[in-house]
Amino acid sequence: MFLLSLTLLPGPPISTCLPSLPTNIHIHLNDMSSERGKNIAEGSSLIADHHQPPTPSRYESQKRRDWNTFGQYLKNQRPPVPLSQCNSNHVLDFLRYLDQFGKTKVHLQGCMFYGQPEPPAPCICPLRQAWGSLDALIGRLRAAYEENGGSPESNPFATGAIRVYLREVRESQAKARGIPYKKQKKKPKQDKPSDESSSTLFFS
């Protein structure tokens, strides 16, 4: 029997014997990974944009705020008034309640500036909500009532009592401020609306 003796001779490391990837292949792989991550990020952004609800218009936002304000007013009554039991009397009380937050000067009949559109000095006459603001408010609440399940036949914001009240406010403010009401045709855009045509309500 013969025994073979093998002797390992020193040589280069095994890793140097294996072929290495070209540098441009490594760069290409990195580019593919970066592009894939970018596509995933863009896809996620498109999905998020698709599911994002549209921004409500200024009118819709104001209508929601008015509706919530009126609902809170009913809850603050003693006892609280359910919306299903709301009638025109509650709406009239709500409109009178808003007068304390008004910013339109309405001269009383005993005031020396009664009927003057531009009084030369201040007076102690009260501030009220402008007729235009109240009229626009009723329009928004009338629409919100029906959008929230109310019946048009029982809409407390569309009764004759509300129309009479708004007409009286319009006429009394026109006389007190010396600014006669004139129904005007709709214009494209005005630089600055007057107090009578403003639809903004002021709250403290």
Side-chain angles (χ1 to χ4, degrees):
M1 179 179 294
F2 296 96
L3 297 176
L4 295 177
S5 175
L6 297 178
T7 303
L8 295 178
L9 298 176
I14 297 177
S15 59
T16 59
C17 298
L18 296 177
S20 60
L21 292 175
T23 306
N24 61 343
I25 293 181
H26 288 285
I27 296 175
H28 181 66
L29 292 177
N30 290 337
D31 291 343
M32 289 179 61
S33 177
S34 176
E35 187 67 25
R36 183 180 180 185
K38 181 179 179 181
N39 292 337
I40 293 175
E42 291 179 352
S44 301
S45 177
L46 291 175
I47 293 175
D49 293 341
H50 179 72
H51 290 286
Q52 185 176 4
T55 303
S57 66
R58 181 179 178 182
Y59 170 80
E60 293 296 329
S61 299
Q62 184 65 52
K63 182 172 61 176
R64 185 182 301 111
R65 288 194 296 268
D66 293 337
W67 182 249
N68 292 337
T69 300
F70 180 72
Q72 189 62 47
Y73 171 80
L74 295 179
K75 292 179 181 178
N76 291 340
Q77 301 305 299
R78 294 293 178 267
V81 179
L83 188 60
S84 58
Q85 298 179 12
C86 172
N87 55 43
S88 60
N89 291 328
H90 298 108
V91 178
L92 292 174
D93 291 340
F94 177 64
L95 296 179
R96 298 186 185 101
Y97 159 80
L98 293 178
D99 267 337
Q100 63 182 306
F101 307 112
K103 293 188 177 181
T104 298
K105 177 73 72 173
V106 179
H107 301 289
L108 303 176
Q109 290 190 3
C111 178
M112 66 176 66
F113 301 134
Y114 182 84
Q116 296 187 26
E118 297 181 2
C123 64
I124 60 173
C125 292
L127 297 174
R128 296 284 185 260
Q129 292 287 352
W131 165 81
S133 299
L134 296 178
D135 185 62
L137 170 67
I138 289 299
R140 293 190 295 268
L141 290 176
R142 182 170 60 244
Y145 178 84
E146 297 179 10
E147 291 174 1
N148 285 272
S151 172
E153 292 76 16
S154 61
N155 194 328
F157 304 98
T159 62
I162 303 301
R163 290 192 293 270
V164 170
Y165 176 81
L166 290 176
R167 183 170 63 247
E168 292 176 349
V169 170
R170 182 189 69 193
E171 294 174 354
S172 64
Q173 289 190 3
K175 292 179 181 179
R177 303 178 63 220
I179 304 176
Y181 168 75
K182 294 181 181 179
K183 190 172 184 180
Q184 300 177 351
K185 294 182 179 179
K186 291 184 178 180
K187 296 181 180 180
K189 204 171 185 181
Q190 295 181 355
D191 294 335
K192 186 177 180 181
S194 63
D195 290 338
E196 286 298 324
S197 61
S198 174
S199 61
T200 302
L201 286 174
F202 299 97
F203 301 94
S204 62

